Amino acid sequence: QVQLVESGGGLVQPGGSLRLSCAASGFTFSLFAMRWYRQAPGKERELVATISSNGRNTNYADSVKGRFTISRDNAKNTVYLQMNSLKPEDTAVYYCKNVPDFGSWGQGTQVTVSS
């Protein structure tokens, strides 16, 4: 029932920017906090950012703080991740997920930062 569709990934140069989107359906989006995760090859899945249900509170991993911004539009059932000053170590598949994390995960979207 839960469906999460990530988009917006791609290949960018170091220092570049990218905005990821996650379209959600199958649950009452506005009642749930949302998170972005990422997973790089050979590494564990990492929590990147969290946003509260009303969008007023956010939290970030230290590795992305000051560079990434999570936001949401409850009218569109969409959560975003604005990524600036990208580094090669940001290369990963990025996933969004509702909190609590019931239901299925999406396919993720690939972000590759390389010159």
Side-chain angles (χ1 to χ4, degrees), residues 22-89:
C22 170
S25 62
F27 63 101
T28 306
F29 180 78
S30 63
L31 297 181
F32 294 89
M34 296 293 295
R35 285 175 164 170
W36 283 98
Y37 294 85
R38 66 187 182 187
Q39 188 164 27
K43 299 186 68 176
E44 295 182 345
R45 188 177 63 202
E46 175 188 16
L47 175 61
V48 174
T50 303
I51 187 166
S52 61
S53 59
N54 61 15
R56 295 177 182 172
N57 300 106
T58 58
N59 286 285
Y60 300 92
D62 288 342
S63 58
V64 307
K65 190 170 296 183
R67 300 187 299 120
F68 290 12
T69 303
I70 188 171
S71 62
R72 67 191 295 161
D73 186 342
N74 284 349
K76 297 183 181 295
N77 283 11
T78 302
V79 61
Y80 305 94
L81 186 67
Q82 177 67 47
M83 305 184 295
N84 299 325
S85 301
L86 283 161
K87 304 174 180 180
E89 50 263 46

